[in-house]
Structure formats: structure tokens, C-alpha cells
Amino acid sequence: MTTRTKTPNLLDNPPIPVQAKLAAAWTSLMFLVIYIDYFHLYQPGEIDEIRGGDIFVFEISGTLMSIFFVVIATPALMIMLSMTLPARANRITNLVVALLYIPAVGMNFLGSPPDYAFYYAFTIGVEVLILAFILRAAWTWPRTAPPATMPTSRETVRANRPN
């Protein structure tokens, strides 16, 4: 005979490494950047303007397309770098790139038509929130303290040496 006992159905919530959090945030940002640019094409006259050889006030050129590539490639590369760089380099790279990327996403507001102001404010706001998460995760990267039994300086080693 089997006795049934009620045990709580607790979900396991293992800690997520900082690298995985950063990679996930950069992935989310990358998708947003791509989709926000895609949805931009839905605005009246945008496709005709592109067919005419212009995007906003810029003539479509190899240089402009290279700039667009850098804007999209940055979060894509940060996904890989967040998972592969050593902790110190990873932290610094995420802090620097996220800080530089904030003005880049903010530039989407330039030239936006007034009737799309809410759309751009909303999308830029979400992107900035993700970048703030990246900055916070990188800034508060956990540090490991040396074990209490290990000396931390030469003076401590000398003081603990038997005579």
C-alpha cells in the first residue's frame, strides 16, 4: 500500500550567470532594433522615399549601409562576447558598449513625424530600459572574495609564519 503525501510543488529557481543575463538582454535589444526598423517601413511614404534613394535626409550609399550594419552587428556581437569574454573584459565591454548605444537608439527620434512621437518614445524607452538592465548587470557583476583561510597580503603571510 502506498501512502500519498502532499508536498509543495516548488519551482526551482537556479541562479542565472551574469553572462547569460547579458547575452539575453543583447538578444532582446537586437530583435527590437531590427523590428523597429522594419515597422518604420509601414509609415506612409517611407518605401517610396527609399526607392528614391534616401533614408531620412541621407542618401543611400555604401557608407550609410555600413553604418546600419554596425548598428545591427553591435548587439549581435555583444551576445557572443557576453558569453565568451573573461569576466573583467566582459564587464568593461558591456559597460562601454551599452553607454555608447544609448545615444544610438535615441537617434531614432530624429526626424520622426509628430503623429508617431508616441511610437518612437515608447520603442526608444524600451530599448533604453534594456540598456539600463545591461549597465546594471555589468556594474553589479558579483565579485568573489578570497577564502577566509587564505592570506591576502605578504604581511599576513609573514605574520602567520611559524618561528
Side-chain angles (χ1 to χ4, degrees), residues 3-118:
T3 306
R4 290 189 179 186
T5 59
K6 282 198 169 195
T7 57
N9 189 5
L10 300 176
L11 297 175
D12 186 23
N13 196 15
I16 299 170
V18 177
Q19 296 94 326
K21 290 179 184 180
L22 292 168
W26 283 110
T27 303
S28 296
L29 185 71
M30 185 184 71
F31 278 114
L32 281 174
V33 169
I34 292 168
Y35 274 105
I36 289 166
D37 286 348
Y38 174 74
F39 290 145
H40 178 79
L41 298 175
Y42 285 36
Q43 294 177 22
E46 287 302 316
I47 293 177
D48 293 332
E49 189 177 325
I50 292 169
R51 285 186 186 146
D54 293 322
I55 296 176
F56 181 45
V57 295
F58 304 106
E59 183 180 328
I60 298 173
S61 65
T63 303
L64 184 65
M65 298 309 290
S66 297
I67 291 168
F68 289 168
F69 173 76
V70 169
V71 169
I72 297 299
T74 299
L77 288 172
M78 288 307 298
I79 296 165
M80 181 202 52
L81 292 175
S82 294
M83 292 302 290
T84 58
L85 285 176
R88 185 177 178 85
N90 201 336
R91 180 177 186 259
I92 292 168
T93 303
N94 273 279
L95 289 170
V96 169
V97 174
L99 282 171
L100 292 174
Y101 216 74
I102 289 173
V105 300
M107 287 184 197
N108 277 334
F109 208 68
L110 298 175
S112 63
D115 53 334
Y116 285 88
F118 176 76

